């Protein structure tokens, strides 16, 4: 498969360095608030990437951190009259709720920065000892001039920045591009003792330390939003390569931004919607599916129209899955020549899905291939008379496999109120059928369909599968 690598700026053939374990690190949330749709995009997309890697037979070791000490967390704690740890604990729990709703596979490890302070101090010590950092009055800076490759990830020409930009008077760093590894504590802020006095780590050093501790010196894939390329990932690269004396990440993957009316969705723009809010309106599964409808490197336009389209698309796939499930429970007969041809056509559609994912994880084309698969399955399995239960079963298994890579389930449960209503209408309909009142039976069928049910009449009565409200 090929992946677009931000480091080489082209699509490169990808394989994990150790086929037994693909090492993947994705920058996690700063836990001071609910995540918004822009934050959710990398989590959903890189979870999908991981699912596909696993489908290809690679065992993935996936690590994602929680930044649980940061200016924003400290500010939030001060505003709400609590401490930074309570704010972080609360929003880690809220993140986990969203992650479960979005069907994100659990990470091998979700390290918290505040649990990794000794390792952070050790790496800063190494950078100082090797001459890649300097200390001034309790602040430790990374010396960007000591790393000639600085700028290689972002491709920025940093000479101008380095030499031309004036350093603000209150800062004691030597160059504009130098960045903080350790900052001294201000009164009332969380702090830890260090050889440079009480303080806390800078943001960039955290990821370098946690990636090394849980995945080793060289990662197969480091991923995150494209807004992290500079300075965060550029700085991670500089720190890690200088401290470890080894390449940091073989492949850098970056997703594009979520856009609202042409502007990046962000806290500071105030144009954000939380994942929780969107889940309440459309369901987490719709949010997940919506995120995957665009190519991950392209901007993703967010709006009611796009969400409604994603919801309808998912409903359509689940409708086909429900019809196939009902057909699979039908009459058993050997596969005919036409059935075998249908299976071949389905395999080709599944291959197109794989080809799309192999080409830089193109979920936009992969989603199109799933629709194509569903349409073919519907045409070949459900129109044949008599239907073949075996064919329907195979078609359903194939559809489920594709949807599983996307992390959206082919079936869905009705909520309690809908389930109660379905049971009621089904009983009424069976009674109407027994009384040969076909007009009433048809009307009840329409009501059940409108509720989101796919219906099949059997000798035992009305069988239904819930596929979600249209
Ligand atoms: Zn990071």
């Amino acid at each position: 498969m090929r992946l677009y690598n931000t480091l080489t700026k082209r699509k490169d053939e990808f394989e994990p360095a150790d086929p037994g374990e693909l090492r993947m690190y994705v920058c996690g949330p700063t836990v001071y608030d609910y995540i918004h749709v822009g934050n959710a995009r990398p989590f959903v997309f890189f979870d999908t990437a991981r699912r596909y890697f696993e489908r290809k037979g690679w065992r993935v070791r996936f690590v994602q951190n929680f930044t649980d000490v940061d200016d924003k967390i400290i500010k939030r704690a001060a505003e709400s009259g609590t401490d930074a740890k309570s704010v972080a604990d609360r929003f880690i729990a809220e993140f986990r709720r969203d992650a479960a709703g979005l069907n994100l596979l659990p990470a091998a490890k979700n390290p918290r920065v505040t649990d990794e302070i000794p390792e952070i101090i050790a790496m800063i010590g190494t950078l100082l000892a090797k001459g890649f950092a300097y200390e001034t009055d309790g602040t430790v800076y990374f010396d960007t001039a000591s790393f000639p490759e600085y700028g290689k990830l972002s491709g920025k020409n940093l000479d101008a920045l380095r030499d031309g930009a004036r350093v603000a008077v209150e800062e004691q760093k030597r160059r504009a591009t130098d960045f903080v590894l350790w900052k001294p504590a201000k009164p009332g802020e969380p702090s830890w003792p260090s050889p440079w006095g009480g303080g806390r780590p800078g943001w960039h050093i955290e990821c370098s330390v946690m990636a090394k501790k849980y995945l080793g010196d060289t990662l197969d894939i480091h991923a995150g939003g494209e807004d992290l390329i500079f300075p965060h990932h550029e700085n991670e690269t500089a720190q890690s390569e200088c401290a470890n004396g080894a390449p940091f990440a073989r492949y850098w993957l970056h997703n594009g931004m979520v856009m609202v009316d042409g502007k990046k969705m962000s806290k500071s723009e105030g144009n954000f919607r939380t994942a929780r809010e969107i889940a309440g309106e459309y369901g987490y599964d719709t949010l997940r599916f919506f995120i995957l409808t665009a190519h991950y490197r392209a901007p993703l336009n967010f709006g009611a129209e796009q969400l409604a389209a994603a919801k309808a698309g998912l409903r359509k796939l689940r409708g086909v899955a429900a019809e196939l499930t009902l057909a699979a429970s039908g009459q058993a007969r050997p596969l005919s020549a036409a059935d075998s041809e249908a299976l071949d056509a389905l395999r080709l559609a599944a291959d197109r899905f794989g080809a799309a994912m192999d080409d830089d994880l193109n979920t936009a084309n992969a989603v199109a291939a799933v629709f194509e698969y569903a349409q073919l399955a519907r045409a070949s399995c459900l129109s044949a008379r008599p239907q073949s239960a075996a064919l329907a079963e195979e078609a359903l298994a194939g559809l489920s496999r594709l949807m599983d890579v996307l992390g959206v389930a082919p079936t869905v449960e009705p909520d309690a109120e809908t389930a109660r209503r379905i049971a009621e209408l089904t009983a009424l309909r069976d009674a109407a059928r027994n009384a040969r009142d076909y007009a009433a039976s048809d009307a009840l069928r329409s009501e059940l369909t409108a509720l989101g049910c796919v219906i099949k009449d059997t000798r035992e009565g009305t069988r239904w599968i819930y596929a979600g409200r249209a």
Side-chain angles (χ1 to χ4, degrees):
M1 81 177 304
R2 296 192 318 149
L3 295 177
Y4 183 88
N5 188 349
T6 309
L7 190 60
T8 58
K9 284 133 196 96
R10 57 162 195 256
K11 285 186 197 174
D12 289 331
E13 196 59 38
F14 173 78
E15 261 189 15
D18 169 0
E21 185 169 78
L22 190 164
R23 291 164 205 161
M24 183 168 183
Y25 185 94
V26 180
C27 291
T30 299
V31 282
Y32 72 107
D33 210 338
Y34 294 93
I35 58 162
H36 61 63
V37 175
N39 306 134
R41 187 178 191 191
F43 303 144
V44 166
F45 176 73
F46 293 115
D47 175 77
T48 307
R50 172 194 175 176
R51 285 166 183 267
Y52 187 64
F53 296 146
E54 289 179 348
R55 177 60 55 86
K56 287 181 82 71
W58 293 322
R59 208 161 61 85
V60 179
R61 184 164 167 80
F62 186 96
V63 174
Q64 183 173 56
N65 68 296
F66 287 123
T67 295
D68 66 346
V69 60
D70 169 274
D71 288 341
K72 294 186 201 105
I73 299 172
I74 293 166
K75 185 164 170 259
R76 177 93 188 212
E79 284 164 2
S80 50
T82 176
D83 58 8
K85 183 174 183 319
S86 307
V87 170
D89 285 348
R90 177 180 165 206
F91 287 107
I92 285 174
E94 298 293 5
F95 174 82
R96 290 194 187 282
R97 264 183 72 189
D98 286 329
L102 288 167
N103 201 18
L104 306 182
L105 295 172
K109 181 78 190 170
N110 289 118
R112 290 177 66 148
V113 175
T114 55
D115 292 333
E116 310 294 342
I117 302 293
E119 286 84 349
I120 292 172
I121 289 173
M123 191 183 272
I124 297 172
T126 303
L127 289 168
L128 279 164
K130 287 187 167 181
F132 295 114
Y134 55 92
E135 188 230 327
T136 325
D137 290 340
T139 303
V140 184
Y141 294 100
F142 185 90
D143 179 4
T144 48
S146 70
F147 183 53
E149 293 173 72
Y150 192 79
K152 70 176 172 180
L153 180 67
S154 57
K156 283 183 189 291
N157 180 356
L158 294 173
D159 287 345
L161 262 177
R162 272 198 207 131
D163 306 329
R166 262 198 290 159
V167 176
V169 212
E170 67 270 24
E171 295 203 65
Q172 295 158 310
K173 58 186 183 180
R174 295 175 190 163
R175 281 163 207 85
T177 47
D178 292 357
F179 55 90
V180 172
L181 299 171
W182 186 264
K183 58 174 99 175
K186 287 186 201 141
E189 287 186 1
S191 75
W192 291 263
S194 83
W196 320 288
R200 59 187 165 99
W203 173 34
H204 316 300
I205 192 72
E206 303 167 359
C207 286
S208 284
V209 168
M210 292 183 277
K212 177 186 172 73
K213 182 171 172 188
Y214 297 103
L215 293 167
D217 287 351
T218 304
L219 315 174
D220 288 302
I221 293 177
H222 192 315
E226 68 182 13
D227 51 345
L228 296 184
I229 297 172
F230 188 86
H232 186 51
H233 289 164
E234 191 73 62
N235 292 353
E236 280 188 39
T237 303
Q239 297 160 157
S240 291
E241 299 198 349
C242 291
N244 303 335
F248 181 38
R250 298 171 58 235
Y251 293 77
W252 283 92
L253 270 54
H254 291 102
N255 63 275
M257 298 292 102
V258 173
M259 308 300 287
V260 184
D261 300 327
K263 275 191 180 149
K264 173 186 159 184
M265 181 184 285
S266 71
K267 272 303 256 251
S268 50
E269 280 288 344
N271 60 356
F272 67 93
R273 298 289 309 278
T274 65
R276 192 69 57 87
E277 287 171 326
I278 299 306
E281 277 176 56
Y282 297 89
Y284 277 111
D285 51 355
T286 295
L287 176 54
R288 179 172 180 121
F289 193 59
F290 157 69
I291 286 171
L292 299 177
T293 53
H295 190 292
Y296 77 97
R297 287 193 283 120
L300 174 63
N301 291 317
F302 173 86
E305 204 179 306
Q306 290 88 341
L307 285 163
K311 191 178 166 83
L314 197 48
R315 169 64 179 76
K316 199 163 155 188
L317 294 177
R318 285 180 174 149
V320 174
E323 288 186 74
L324 291 172
T325 307
L326 290 170
S329 69
Q331 182 196 358
R333 64 161 171 80
L335 289 181
S336 67
D339 294 339
S340 301
E341 258 177 52
L343 279 178
D344 287 343
L346 289 175
R347 269 182 220 119
L348 285 176
D351 288 349
R352 279 193 286 278
F353 178 94
M357 293 300 281
D358 280 340
D359 180 16
D360 193 25
L361 301 163
N362 191 332
T363 58
N365 288 351
V367 164
V370 179
F371 280 114
E372 206 181 321
Y373 182 103
Q375 201 174 8
L376 272 170
R378 198 163 198 279
S380 55
C381 301
L382 304 170
S383 62
R385 291 283 180 272
Q387 292 177 350
S388 160
L391 175 61
E393 200 176 320
E394 275 219 42
L396 176 64
L399 179 60
S400 302
R401 269 199 302 276
L402 300 184
M403 291 180 77
D404 185 55
V405 171
L406 301 177
V408 289
T411 56
V412 64
E413 290 294 321
D415 60 50
E417 170 57 23
T418 309
R420 196 192 54 73
R421 185 80 184 125
I422 291 171
E424 204 174 85
L425 293 172
T426 311
L428 285 173
R429 182 159 187 270
D430 286 343
R433 275 166 56 86
N434 287 336
R436 299 178 189 282
D437 183 351
Y438 296 114
S441 159
D442 284 351
L444 287 159
R445 184 194 186 98
S446 303
E447 269 195 73
L448 281 161
T449 306
L451 269 183
C453 291
V454 175
I455 305 284
K456 188 181 181 182
D457 294 322
T458 70
R459 241 170 271 152
E460 294 78 38
T462 304
R463 269 208 69 192
W464 60 270
I465 292 183
Y466 184 70
R469 219 171 291 225

